[in-house]
Amino acid sequence: MIELSDTSIRLYRKKDGRVSVKLRSYLLVNTNVGFSLPAYLKNISLRLKLASGEELKFQEVSFSSDVECYAMETMVHGFWGSGVLEMDKTEDTVGQLILDYHLSFTGHATEKPASISYVVPVIKRSTAYEL
């Protein structure tokens, strides 16, 4: 029911030497009726497993409460995620991005959390703080 439109992860070296991990995307909610996503989305989280074996749970995950557009039976909401990793070397690679979410319209026990997994590009961006 929920998907991401763009899954490119960007890495930025921070001044303190750690690496900032960022995702800017859109949540695509397949539905034949419009509804208030913040009212029914009980939780949402992101995890990233890098090819190196490192794993990151994004510390910040948020989405726009207003619908940016509704067409073709899809609600579109802005979506952001960020976190911080300890990494000696940053390089272009791939990872597995896991989106966990729980949509609940009635509160019934059959409305279980769901998960979607994507293989994603992880792109190093240059900064003034490269090691």
Side-chain angles (χ1 to χ4, degrees), residues 60-81:
E60 294 183 36
V61 176
S62 60
F63 60 92
S64 59
S65 56
D66 294 330
V67 174
E68 298 201 14
C69 93
Y70 177 75
M72 298 174 61
E73 296 189 347
T74 303
M75 290 189 329
V76 178
H77 290 266
F79 184 74
W80 306 266

Side-chain angles (χ1 to χ4, degrees), residues 114-126:
S115 184
I116 299 174
S117 178
Y118 302 91
V119 174
V120 301
V122 180
I123 309 300
K124 170 189 168 182
R125 294 291 185 215
S126 63

